[in-house]
Amino acid sequence: MKVGFVGLGIMGKPMAINVLKNGYEVVAYDRNEAGISAIVEAGGQAGANGKDVAERTDVVITMLPNSPNVESALFDEGGIAEGLSEGKAVIDMSSIAPLASRDFAKRLAEKGVDFMDAPVSGGEPKAVDGTIAVMVGGEQAVFDKYESLLKTMASTVTLVGGVGAGNITKLANQMIVAINIAGISEAYCLAKKAGVSPENVYKAIRTGLAGSVVMDQKSQKIFDGDFNPGFRIELHIKDLQNVMDTAHSVNVSSPFSALAMEIMQSLKAHGHEKEDHSAVAEWYEMVNDIKLQED
Ligand code: NAD
């Protein structure tokens, strides 16, 4: 099986390298040359554009920022769809709007091409280690065909439903992470202003009911004031916008997600959009005139 890879940024580059390391031939393309060079250095081949990648491979994986980027990579002139033919497949691993996934699946089905949405959780370190979690939307038979390919990048690969279900699961993940970071930041501010060290609070409660992977991964960054990404604020705003659009389309109210998005939007308005999403703690510092770092 020859694998195409389009989108070689923070996540896509290490994921494509893990596919290569597992013995697959990889043809890769990104509109940024640096990503392609990294894959060629690792033993892959350079594609001229999406069409060329799709012509030379059996299945194309995309790892792009949001729905409009995936639509453009698939359907623009010289895009992936032009190189696809019956029996090939596209696996979109980007985090995008579930309704967009369903639309792309329908348009590709007209060419006899299979489609799955397979967004990931875990961030860059897990993408490098090949231990991301993949949540897949698609048909069982298509999943069975590509499960071992997806396992070259991941520790868990779970089929959660039909096309779009992968991105709905990812939105649920992003709601929980955003609200959790805001909750942790709010609690640490209370502790600090009331005279208790946030680090001591963390140590005392991390193994209790309030503890979480988010608390373990983000607390030290908050205590160090180190907001290098990681997962950028601007990408989390994109996910929460997709949460709100999807929630309203199925007539669901999601007030905490809306609030978390507006906090991140306020950080963006202050120029913090390239920082890690743990910088939500900075917003709490601003509104409370406080620093969470140890004195
Ligand atoms: P990124 O911005 O680092 O990489 C995106 C890449 O896509 C860039 O290299 C860009 O040049 C390329 N690109 C954009 N449009 C293109 C097009 N039309 N044709 C070819 N290349 C194009 O983003 P990332 O951090 O790798 O994230 C990718 C996706 O994974 C996003 O949906 C993000 O939400 C999701 N995600 C990211 C993380 C993380 O921690 N960074 C974790 C889980 C999921």
Side-chain angles (χ1 to χ4, degrees), residues 6-12 29-32 63-66 69 72-73 93-96 120-124 170 230-232 235 238-239:
V6 176
L8 308 162
I10 291 182
M11 297 295 286
Y29 174 71
D30 191 296
R31 58 185 182 197
N32 174 359
M63 192 54 169
L64 301 159
N66 198 8
N69 310 97
S72 143
M93 301 189 76
S94 328
S95 306
I96 70 165
V120 315
S121 175
E124 189 186 16
K170 175 69 184 177
F231 188 68
R232 298 192 300 275
L235 285 176
K238 174 262 300 182
D239 288 335

PDB file of all heavy atoms in Angstrom, residues 6-12 29-32 63-66 69 72-73 93-96 120-124 170 230-232 235 238-239, ligand 1:
ATOM      1  N   VAL A   6      -0.598  14.767   2.924  1.00  0.00           N
ATOM      2  CA  VAL A   6      -0.688  16.199   2.600  1.00  0.00           C
ATOM      3  C   VAL A   6      -0.937  16.979   3.896  1.00  0.00           C
ATOM      4  O   VAL A   6      -1.939  16.740   4.592  1.00  0.00           O
ATOM      5  CB  VAL A   6      -1.809  16.467   1.572  1.00  0.00           C
ATOM      6  CG1 VAL A   6      -1.967  17.971   1.322  1.00  0.00           C
ATOM      7  CG2 VAL A   6      -1.510  15.749   0.259  1.00  0.00           C
ATOM      8  N   GLY A   7       0.003  17.884   4.219  1.00  0.00           N
ATOM      9  CA  GLY A   7      -0.062  18.642   5.479  1.00  0.00           C
ATOM     10  C   GLY A   7       1.013  18.119   6.406  1.00  0.00           C
ATOM     11  O   GLY A   7       0.838  17.088   7.059  1.00  0.00           O
ATOM     12  N   LEU A   8       2.167  18.832   6.431  1.00  0.00           N
ATOM     13  CA  LEU A   8       3.346  18.316   7.155  1.00  0.00           C
ATOM     14  C   LEU A   8       3.795  19.347   8.184  1.00  0.00           C
ATOM     15  O   LEU A   8       4.960  19.725   8.245  1.00  0.00           O
ATOM     16  CB  LEU A   8       4.465  18.008   6.151  1.00  0.00           C
ATOM     17  CG  LEU A   8       4.038  17.099   4.981  1.00  0.00           C
ATOM     18  CD1 LEU A   8       5.020  17.188   3.820  1.00  0.00           C
ATOM     19  CD2 LEU A   8       3.893  15.654   5.449  1.00  0.00           C
ATOM     20  N   GLY A   9       2.852  19.820   9.002  1.00  0.00           N
ATOM     21  CA  GLY A   9       3.156  20.813  10.034  1.00  0.00           C
ATOM     22  C   GLY A   9       3.569  20.132  11.331  1.00  0.00           C
ATOM     23  O   GLY A   9       4.155  19.043  11.320  1.00  0.00           O
ATOM     24  N   ILE A  10       3.246  20.776  12.459  1.00  0.00           N
ATOM     25  CA  ILE A  10       3.658  20.268  13.786  1.00  0.00           C
ATOM     26  C   ILE A  10       3.271  18.797  13.948  1.00  0.00           C
ATOM     27  O   ILE A  10       4.057  17.982  14.423  1.00  0.00           O
ATOM     28  CB  ILE A  10       3.002  21.119  14.909  1.00  0.00           C
ATOM     29  CG1 ILE A  10       3.590  22.531  14.918  1.00  0.00           C
ATOM     30  CG2 ILE A  10       3.187  20.455  16.272  1.00  0.00           C
ATOM     31  CD1 ILE A  10       3.059  23.447  16.012  1.00  0.00           C
ATOM     32  N   MET A  11       2.073  18.444  13.528  1.00  0.00           N
ATOM     33  CA  MET A  11       1.563  17.071  13.707  1.00  0.00           C
ATOM     34  C   MET A  11       1.853  16.182  12.498  1.00  0.00           C
ATOM     35  O   MET A  11       2.276  15.030  12.639  1.00  0.00           O
ATOM     36  CB  MET A  11       0.055  17.105  13.967  1.00  0.00           C
ATOM     37  CG  MET A  11      -0.355  17.814  15.239  1.00  0.00           C
ATOM     38  SD  MET A  11       0.222  16.998  16.724  1.00  0.00           S
ATOM     39  CE  MET A  11      -0.877  15.589  16.814  1.00  0.00           C
ATOM     40  N   GLY A  12       1.564  16.689  11.293  1.00  0.00           N
ATOM     41  CA  GLY A  12       1.647  15.855  10.093  1.00  0.00           C
ATOM     42  C   GLY A  12       3.050  15.320   9.826  1.00  0.00           C
ATOM     43  O   GLY A  12       3.210  14.167   9.412  1.00  0.00           O
ATOM     44  N   TYR A  29       3.261  16.005   0.401  1.00  0.00           N
ATOM     45  CA  TYR A  29       3.168  17.373  -0.117  1.00  0.00           C
ATOM     46  C   TYR A  29       2.673  18.324   0.975  1.00  0.00           C
ATOM     47  O   TYR A  29       1.799  17.977   1.784  1.00  0.00           O
ATOM     48  CB  TYR A  29       2.215  17.443  -1.317  1.00  0.00           C
ATOM     49  CG  TYR A  29       1.989  18.870  -1.774  1.00  0.00           C
ATOM     50  CD1 TYR A  29       3.001  19.577  -2.423  1.00  0.00           C
ATOM     51  CD2 TYR A  29       0.785  19.526  -1.515  1.00  0.00           C
ATOM     52  CE1 TYR A  29       2.813  20.902  -2.800  1.00  0.00           C
ATOM     53  CE2 TYR A  29       0.588  20.847  -1.893  1.00  0.00           C
ATOM     54  CZ  TYR A  29       1.608  21.532  -2.536  1.00  0.00           C
ATOM     55  OH  TYR A  29       1.418  22.843  -2.891  1.00  0.00           O
ATOM     56  N   ASP A  30       3.261  19.506   0.995  1.00  0.00           N
ATOM     57  CA  ASP A  30       2.780  20.621   1.828  1.00  0.00           C
ATOM     58  C   ASP A  30       3.074  21.870   1.006  1.00  0.00           C
ATOM     59  O   ASP A  30       4.033  21.883   0.229  1.00  0.00           O
ATOM     60  CB  ASP A  30       3.557  20.652   3.156  1.00  0.00           C
ATOM     61  CG  ASP A  30       2.951  21.610   4.180  1.00  0.00           C
ATOM     62  OD1 ASP A  30       2.929  22.844   3.919  1.00  0.00           O
ATOM     63  OD2 ASP A  30       2.509  21.155   5.250  1.00  0.00           O
ATOM     64  N   ARG A  31       2.263  22.923   1.178  1.00  0.00           N
ATOM     65  CA  ARG A  31       2.591  24.115   0.381  1.00  0.00           C
ATOM     66  C   ARG A  31       3.830  24.817   0.930  1.00  0.00           C
ATOM     67  O   ARG A  31       4.380  25.702   0.295  1.00  0.00           O
ATOM     68  CB  ARG A  31       1.385  25.050   0.278  1.00  0.00           C
ATOM     69  CG  ARG A  31       0.859  25.525   1.576  1.00  0.00           C
ATOM     70  CD  ARG A  31      -0.391  26.341   1.347  1.00  0.00           C
ATOM     71  NE  ARG A  31      -0.883  26.844   2.622  1.00  0.00           N
ATOM     72  CZ  ARG A  31      -2.086  27.309   2.826  1.00  0.00           C
ATOM     73  NH1 ARG A  31      -2.938  27.360   1.827  1.00  0.00           N
ATOM     74  NH2 ARG A  31      -2.452  27.744   4.008  1.00  0.00           N
ATOM     75  N   ASN A  32       4.280  24.368   2.103  1.00  0.00           N
ATOM     76  CA  ASN A  32       5.520  24.861   2.679  1.00  0.00           C
ATOM     77  C   ASN A  32       6.632  23.823   2.408  1.00  0.00           C
ATOM     78  O   ASN A  32       6.548  22.687   2.861  1.00  0.00           O
ATOM     79  CB  ASN A  32       5.259  25.049   4.187  1.00  0.00           C
ATOM     80  CG  ASN A  32       6.479  25.417   4.966  1.00  0.00           C
ATOM     81  OD1 ASN A  32       7.571  25.524   4.413  1.00  0.00           O
ATOM     82  ND2 ASN A  32       6.289  25.602   6.257  1.00  0.00           N
ATOM     83  N   MET A  63      -3.562  16.243   6.898  1.00  0.00           N
ATOM     84  CA  MET A  63      -3.407  16.749   8.273  1.00  0.00           C
ATOM     85  C   MET A  63      -3.229  18.265   8.190  1.00  0.00           C
ATOM     86  O   MET A  63      -2.110  18.789   8.188  1.00  0.00           O
ATOM     87  CB  MET A  63      -2.203  16.068   8.947  1.00  0.00           C
ATOM     88  CG  MET A  63      -2.153  16.325  10.449  1.00  0.00           C
ATOM     89  SD  MET A  63      -3.707  15.866  11.259  1.00  0.00           S
ATOM     90  CE  MET A  63      -3.253  15.945  12.976  1.00  0.00           C
ATOM     91  N   LEU A  64      -4.376  18.968   8.098  1.00  0.00           N
ATOM     92  CA  LEU A  64      -4.417  20.396   7.775  1.00  0.00           C
ATOM     93  C   LEU A  64      -5.172  21.140   8.883  1.00  0.00           C
ATOM     94  O   LEU A  64      -5.870  20.520   9.682  1.00  0.00           O
ATOM     95  CB  LEU A  64      -5.116  20.564   6.423  1.00  0.00           C
ATOM     96  CG  LEU A  64      -4.421  19.802   5.271  1.00  0.00           C
ATOM     97  CD1 LEU A  64      -5.368  19.572   4.109  1.00  0.00           C
ATOM     98  CD2 LEU A  64      -3.183  20.555   4.815  1.00  0.00           C
ATOM     99  N   PRO A  65      -5.079  22.492   8.911  1.00  0.00           N
ATOM    100  CA  PRO A  65      -5.666  23.208  10.053  1.00  0.00           C
ATOM    101  C   PRO A  65      -7.182  23.051  10.203  1.00  0.00           C
ATOM    102  O   PRO A  65      -7.657  22.638  11.253  1.00  0.00           O
ATOM    103  CB  PRO A  65      -5.277  24.665   9.804  1.00  0.00           C
ATOM    104  CG  PRO A  65      -4.028  24.583   8.976  1.00  0.00           C
ATOM    105  CD  PRO A  65      -4.206  23.373   8.106  1.00  0.00           C
ATOM    106  N   ASN A  66      -7.975  23.423   9.197  1.00  0.00           N
ATOM    107  CA  ASN A  66      -9.437  23.480   9.396  1.00  0.00           C
ATOM    108  C   ASN A  66     -10.177  23.124   8.103  1.00  0.00           C
ATOM    109  O   ASN A  66      -9.555  22.917   7.054  1.00  0.00           O
ATOM    110  CB  ASN A  66      -9.823  24.886   9.886  1.00  0.00           C
ATOM    111  CG  ASN A  66     -11.201  24.919  10.533  1.00  0.00           C
ATOM    112  OD1 ASN A  66     -11.852  23.890  10.762  1.00  0.00           O
ATOM    113  ND2 ASN A  66     -11.679  26.114  10.821  1.00  0.00           N
ATOM    114  N   ASN A  69      -9.241  24.601   4.664  1.00  0.00           N
ATOM    115  CA  ASN A  69      -7.944  24.132   4.161  1.00  0.00           C
ATOM    116  C   ASN A  69      -8.084  22.731   3.558  1.00  0.00           C
ATOM    117  O   ASN A  69      -7.478  22.423   2.532  1.00  0.00           O
ATOM    118  CB  ASN A  69      -6.903  24.076   5.289  1.00  0.00           C
ATOM    119  CG  ASN A  69      -6.851  25.352   6.081  1.00  0.00           C
ATOM    120  OD1 ASN A  69      -7.465  25.462   7.132  1.00  0.00           O
ATOM    121  ND2 ASN A  69      -6.151  26.349   5.564  1.00  0.00           N
ATOM    122  N   SER A  72      -9.928  23.027   0.214  1.00  0.00           N
ATOM    123  CA  SER A  72      -9.050  23.548  -0.831  1.00  0.00           C
ATOM    124  C   SER A  72      -8.023  22.487  -1.254  1.00  0.00           C
ATOM    125  O   SER A  72      -7.776  22.285  -2.450  1.00  0.00           O
ATOM    126  CB  SER A  72      -8.428  24.844  -0.306  1.00  0.00           C
ATOM    127  OG  SER A  72      -7.129  24.990  -0.716  1.00  0.00           O
ATOM    128  N   ALA A  73      -7.421  21.763  -0.290  1.00  0.00           N
ATOM    129  CA  ALA A  73      -6.435  20.724  -0.643  1.00  0.00           C
ATOM    130  C   ALA A  73      -7.085  19.606  -1.461  1.00  0.00           C
ATOM    131  O   ALA A  73      -6.466  19.036  -2.359  1.00  0.00           O
ATOM    132  CB  ALA A  73      -5.799  20.151   0.620  1.00  0.00           C
ATOM    133  N   MET A  93      -7.182  13.431   8.837  1.00  0.00           N
ATOM    134  CA  MET A  93      -6.859  13.356  10.264  1.00  0.00           C
ATOM    135  C   MET A  93      -6.870  14.739  10.924  1.00  0.00           C
ATOM    136  O   MET A  93      -6.578  14.869  12.105  1.00  0.00           O
ATOM    137  CB  MET A  93      -5.515  12.641  10.461  1.00  0.00           C
ATOM    138  CG  MET A  93      -5.560  11.229   9.867  1.00  0.00           C
ATOM    139  SD  MET A  93      -4.140  10.190  10.234  1.00  0.00           S
ATOM    140  CE  MET A  93      -4.459   9.733  11.942  1.00  0.00           C
ATOM    141  N   SER A  94      -7.220  15.790  10.158  1.00  0.00           N
ATOM    142  CA  SER A  94      -7.343  17.145  10.706  1.00  0.00           C
ATOM    143  C   SER A  94      -8.543  17.195  11.645  1.00  0.00           C
ATOM    144  O   SER A  94      -9.459  16.378  11.543  1.00  0.00           O
ATOM    145  CB  SER A  94      -7.598  18.142   9.565  1.00  0.00           C
ATOM    146  OG  SER A  94      -6.979  17.752   8.361  1.00  0.00           O
ATOM    147  N   SER A  95      -8.555  18.205  12.548  1.00  0.00           N
ATOM    148  CA  SER A  95      -9.740  18.439  13.394  1.00  0.00           C
ATOM    149  C   SER A  95     -10.591  19.485  12.683  1.00  0.00           C
ATOM    150  O   SER A  95     -10.223  20.664  12.660  1.00  0.00           O
ATOM    151  CB  SER A  95      -9.329  18.988  14.761  1.00  0.00           C
ATOM    152  OG  SER A  95      -8.386  18.160  15.372  1.00  0.00           O
ATOM    153  N   ILE A  96     -11.712  19.069  12.111  1.00  0.00           N
ATOM    154  CA  ILE A  96     -12.537  20.011  11.334  1.00  0.00           C
ATOM    155  C   ILE A  96     -14.012  19.853  11.701  1.00  0.00           C
ATOM    156  O   ILE A  96     -14.370  19.019  12.529  1.00  0.00           O
ATOM    157  CB  ILE A  96     -12.325  19.826   9.806  1.00  0.00           C
ATOM    158  CG1 ILE A  96     -12.922  18.500   9.316  1.00  0.00           C
ATOM    159  CG2 ILE A  96     -10.861  19.930   9.433  1.00  0.00           C
ATOM    160  CD1 ILE A  96     -13.080  18.421   7.808  1.00  0.00           C
ATOM    161  N   VAL A 120      -7.179  13.410  15.760  1.00  0.00           N
ATOM    162  CA  VAL A 120      -6.287  12.809  16.755  1.00  0.00           C
ATOM    163  C   VAL A 120      -6.237  13.647  18.023  1.00  0.00           C
ATOM    164  O   VAL A 120      -6.535  14.835  18.009  1.00  0.00           O
ATOM    165  CB  VAL A 120      -4.847  12.661  16.190  1.00  0.00           C
ATOM    166  CG1 VAL A 120      -4.904  12.088  14.784  1.00  0.00           C
ATOM    167  CG2 VAL A 120      -4.075  13.968  16.193  1.00  0.00           C
ATOM    168  N   SER A 121      -5.800  13.005  19.099  1.00  0.00           N
ATOM    169  CA  SER A 121      -5.561  13.707  20.349  1.00  0.00           C
ATOM    170  C   SER A 121      -4.187  13.280  20.858  1.00  0.00           C
ATOM    171  O   SER A 121      -3.772  12.154  20.638  1.00  0.00           O
ATOM    172  CB  SER A 121      -6.656  13.324  21.353  1.00  0.00           C
ATOM    173  OG  SER A 121      -6.374  13.894  22.597  1.00  0.00           O
ATOM    174  N   GLY A 122      -3.487  14.206  21.525  1.00  0.00           N
ATOM    175  CA  GLY A 122      -2.192  13.817  22.087  1.00  0.00           C
ATOM    176  C   GLY A 122      -1.108  14.864  21.898  1.00  0.00           C
ATOM    177  O   GLY A 122      -0.193  14.955  22.692  1.00  0.00           O
ATOM    178  N   GLY A 123      -1.188  15.679  20.848  1.00  0.00           N
ATOM    179  CA  GLY A 123      -0.197  16.736  20.667  1.00  0.00           C
ATOM    180  C   GLY A 123       1.117  16.224  20.085  1.00  0.00           C
ATOM    181  O   GLY A 123       1.281  15.031  19.816  1.00  0.00           O
ATOM    182  N   GLU A 124       2.043  17.177  19.879  1.00  0.00           N
ATOM    183  CA  GLU A 124       3.292  16.881  19.163  1.00  0.00           C
ATOM    184  C   GLU A 124       4.122  15.746  19.789  1.00  0.00           C
ATOM    185  O   GLU A 124       4.582  14.863  19.073  1.00  0.00           O
ATOM    186  CB  GLU A 124       4.128  18.160  19.041  1.00  0.00           C
ATOM    187  CG  GLU A 124       5.328  17.991  18.129  1.00  0.00           C
ATOM    188  CD  GLU A 124       6.236  19.221  18.124  1.00  0.00           C
ATOM    189  OE1 GLU A 124       6.126  20.072  19.022  1.00  0.00           O
ATOM    190  OE2 GLU A 124       7.067  19.316  17.195  1.00  0.00           O
ATOM    191  N   LYS A 170     -13.933  14.378  18.611  1.00  0.00           N
ATOM    192  CA  LYS A 170     -12.840  15.328  18.839  1.00  0.00           C
ATOM    193  C   LYS A 170     -13.368  16.634  19.440  1.00  0.00           C
ATOM    194  O   LYS A 170     -12.741  17.228  20.316  1.00  0.00           O
ATOM    195  CB  LYS A 170     -12.115  15.595  17.511  1.00  0.00           C
ATOM    196  CG  LYS A 170     -11.028  16.647  17.567  1.00  0.00           C
ATOM    197  CD  LYS A 170      -9.814  16.219  18.380  1.00  0.00           C
ATOM    198  CE  LYS A 170      -8.790  17.351  18.476  1.00  0.00           C
ATOM    199  NZ  LYS A 170      -7.640  17.002  19.303  1.00  0.00           N
ATOM    200  N   GLY A 230       3.298  23.157  22.086  1.00  0.00           N
ATOM    201  CA  GLY A 230       1.981  22.778  22.410  1.00  0.00           C
ATOM    202  C   GLY A 230       0.864  23.021  21.367  1.00  0.00           C
ATOM    203  O   GLY A 230       1.043  22.936  20.169  1.00  0.00           O
ATOM    204  N   PHE A 231      -0.257  23.261  21.933  1.00  0.00           N
ATOM    205  CA  PHE A 231      -1.474  23.443  21.153  1.00  0.00           C
ATOM    206  C   PHE A 231      -1.850  24.917  21.211  1.00  0.00           C
ATOM    207  O   PHE A 231      -2.131  25.456  22.285  1.00  0.00           O
ATOM    208  CB  PHE A 231      -2.594  22.554  21.706  1.00  0.00           C
ATOM    209  CG  PHE A 231      -3.810  22.551  20.820  1.00  0.00           C
ATOM    210  CD1 PHE A 231      -3.764  21.963  19.570  1.00  0.00           C
ATOM    211  CD2 PHE A 231      -4.985  23.164  21.217  1.00  0.00           C
ATOM    212  CE1 PHE A 231      -4.876  21.973  18.734  1.00  0.00           C
ATOM    213  CE2 PHE A 231      -6.099  23.179  20.396  1.00  0.00           C
ATOM    214  CZ  PHE A 231      -6.044  22.586  19.151  1.00  0.00           C
ATOM    215  N   ARG A 232      -1.842  25.548  20.024  1.00  0.00           N
ATOM    216  CA  ARG A 232      -1.990  27.003  19.981  1.00  0.00           C
ATOM    217  C   ARG A 232      -3.425  27.450  20.274  1.00  0.00           C
ATOM    218  O   ARG A 232      -4.389  26.828  19.842  1.00  0.00           O
ATOM    219  CB  ARG A 232      -1.581  27.547  18.602  1.00  0.00           C
ATOM    220  CG  ARG A 232      -0.140  27.286  18.225  1.00  0.00           C
ATOM    221  CD  ARG A 232       0.282  28.101  16.997  1.00  0.00           C
ATOM    222  NE  ARG A 232      -0.495  27.832  15.813  1.00  0.00           N
ATOM    223  CZ  ARG A 232      -0.257  26.842  14.949  1.00  0.00           C
ATOM    224  NH1 ARG A 232       0.748  26.020  15.147  1.00  0.00           N
ATOM    225  NH2 ARG A 232      -1.013  26.682  13.878  1.00  0.00           N
ATOM    226  N   LEU A 235      -5.794  27.575  17.332  1.00  0.00           N
ATOM    227  CA  LEU A 235      -6.390  26.298  16.905  1.00  0.00           C
ATOM    228  C   LEU A 235      -7.522  25.895  17.839  1.00  0.00           C
ATOM    229  O   LEU A 235      -8.524  25.317  17.418  1.00  0.00           O
ATOM    230  CB  LEU A 235      -5.319  25.197  16.846  1.00  0.00           C
ATOM    231  CG  LEU A 235      -4.342  25.248  15.661  1.00  0.00           C
ATOM    232  CD1 LEU A 235      -3.281  24.152  15.781  1.00  0.00           C
ATOM    233  CD2 LEU A 235      -5.067  25.110  14.322  1.00  0.00           C
ATOM    234  N   LYS A 238     -10.575  27.774  16.906  1.00  0.00           N
ATOM    235  CA  LYS A 238     -11.169  27.124  15.724  1.00  0.00           C
ATOM    236  C   LYS A 238     -12.028  25.924  16.151  1.00  0.00           C
ATOM    237  O   LYS A 238     -13.165  25.762  15.700  1.00  0.00           O
ATOM    238  CB  LYS A 238     -10.026  26.699  14.798  1.00  0.00           C
ATOM    239  CG  LYS A 238     -10.378  25.882  13.592  1.00  0.00           C
ATOM    240  CD  LYS A 238     -10.175  24.386  13.783  1.00  0.00           C
ATOM    241  CE  LYS A 238      -8.770  23.957  14.097  1.00  0.00           C
ATOM    242  NZ  LYS A 238      -8.615  22.488  14.225  1.00  0.00           N
ATOM    243  N   ASP A 239     -11.497  25.095  17.057  1.00  0.00           N
ATOM    244  CA  ASP A 239     -12.251  23.906  17.501  1.00  0.00           C
ATOM    245  C   ASP A 239     -13.523  24.318  18.246  1.00  0.00           C
ATOM    246  O   ASP A 239     -14.582  23.710  18.068  1.00  0.00           O
ATOM    247  CB  ASP A 239     -11.393  23.030  18.421  1.00  0.00           C
ATOM    248  CG  ASP A 239     -10.293  22.299  17.661  1.00  0.00           C
ATOM    249  OD1 ASP A 239     -10.449  22.079  16.445  1.00  0.00           O
ATOM    250  OD2 ASP A 239      -9.275  21.948  18.289  1.00  0.00           O
TER     251      ASP A 239
HETATM  252  P1  NAD B   1       0.181  23.285  11.512  1.00  0.00           P
HETATM  253  O1  NAD B   1      -0.334  24.648  11.242  1.00  0.00           O
HETATM  254  O2  NAD B   1       1.497  23.117  12.203  1.00  0.00           O
HETATM  255  O3  NAD B   1       0.290  22.436  10.124  1.00  0.00           O
HETATM  256  C1  NAD B   1      -0.613  22.541   9.068  1.00  0.00           C
HETATM  257  C2  NAD B   1       0.138  22.349   7.751  1.00  0.00           C
HETATM  258  O4  NAD B   1      -0.789  22.358   6.665  1.00  0.00           O
HETATM  259  C3  NAD B   1       1.153  23.466   7.448  1.00  0.00           C
HETATM  260  O5  NAD B   1       2.430  22.892   7.239  1.00  0.00           O
HETATM  261  C4  NAD B   1       0.602  24.162   6.187  1.00  0.00           C
HETATM  262  O6  NAD B   1       1.626  24.628   5.317  1.00  0.00           O
HETATM  263  C5  NAD B   1      -0.174  23.014   5.551  1.00  0.00           C
HETATM  264  N1  NAD B   1      -1.253  23.430   4.645  1.00  0.00           N
HETATM  265  C6  NAD B   1      -2.306  24.251   4.896  1.00  0.00           C
HETATM  266  N2  NAD B   1      -3.129  24.317   3.828  1.00  0.00           N
HETATM  267  C7  NAD B   1      -2.591  23.513   2.883  1.00  0.00           C
HETATM  268  C8  NAD B   1      -2.987  23.150   1.562  1.00  0.00           C
HETATM  269  N3  NAD B   1      -4.101  23.623   1.007  1.00  0.00           N
HETATM  270  N4  NAD B   1      -2.197  22.287   0.867  1.00  0.00           N
HETATM  271  C9  NAD B   1      -1.057  21.783   1.426  1.00  0.00           C
HETATM  272  N5  NAD B   1      -0.640  22.085   2.675  1.00  0.00           N
HETATM  273  C10 NAD B   1      -1.384  22.941   3.385  1.00  0.00           C
HETATM  274  O7  NAD B   1      -0.983  22.534  12.315  1.00  0.00           O
HETATM  275  P2  NAD B   1      -0.861  21.225  13.263  1.00  0.00           P
HETATM  276  O8  NAD B   1      -0.570  21.656  14.660  1.00  0.00           O
HETATM  277  O9  NAD B   1      -0.015  20.194  12.591  1.00  0.00           O
HETATM  278  O10 NAD B   1      -2.411  20.768  13.267  1.00  0.00           O
HETATM  279  C11 NAD B   1      -3.012  20.073  12.177  1.00  0.00           C
HETATM  280  C12 NAD B   1      -4.396  19.607  12.644  1.00  0.00           C
HETATM  281  O11 NAD B   1      -4.250  18.734  13.774  1.00  0.00           O
HETATM  282  C13 NAD B   1      -5.327  20.756  13.098  1.00  0.00           C
HETATM  283  O12 NAD B   1      -6.627  20.490  12.701  1.00  0.00           O
HETATM  284  C14 NAD B   1      -5.193  20.715  14.620  1.00  0.00           C
HETATM  285  O13 NAD B   1      -6.339  21.245  15.276  1.00  0.00           O
HETATM  286  C15 NAD B   1      -5.022  19.222  14.862  1.00  0.00           C
HETATM  287  N6  NAD B   1      -4.324  18.856  16.099  1.00  0.00           N
HETATM  288  C16 NAD B   1      -3.212  19.540  16.514  1.00  0.00           C
HETATM  289  C17 NAD B   1      -2.581  19.169  17.714  1.00  0.00           C
HETATM  290  C18 NAD B   1      -1.364  19.924  18.211  1.00  0.00           C
HETATM  291  O14 NAD B   1      -1.011  19.742  19.394  1.00  0.00           O
HETATM  292  N7  NAD B   1      -0.700  20.724  17.399  1.00  0.00           N
HETATM  293  C19 NAD B   1      -3.076  18.099  18.468  1.00  0.00           C
HETATM  294  C20 NAD B   1      -4.178  17.398  18.000  1.00  0.00           C
HETATM  295  C21 NAD B   1      -4.805  17.779  16.814  1.00  0.00           C
END
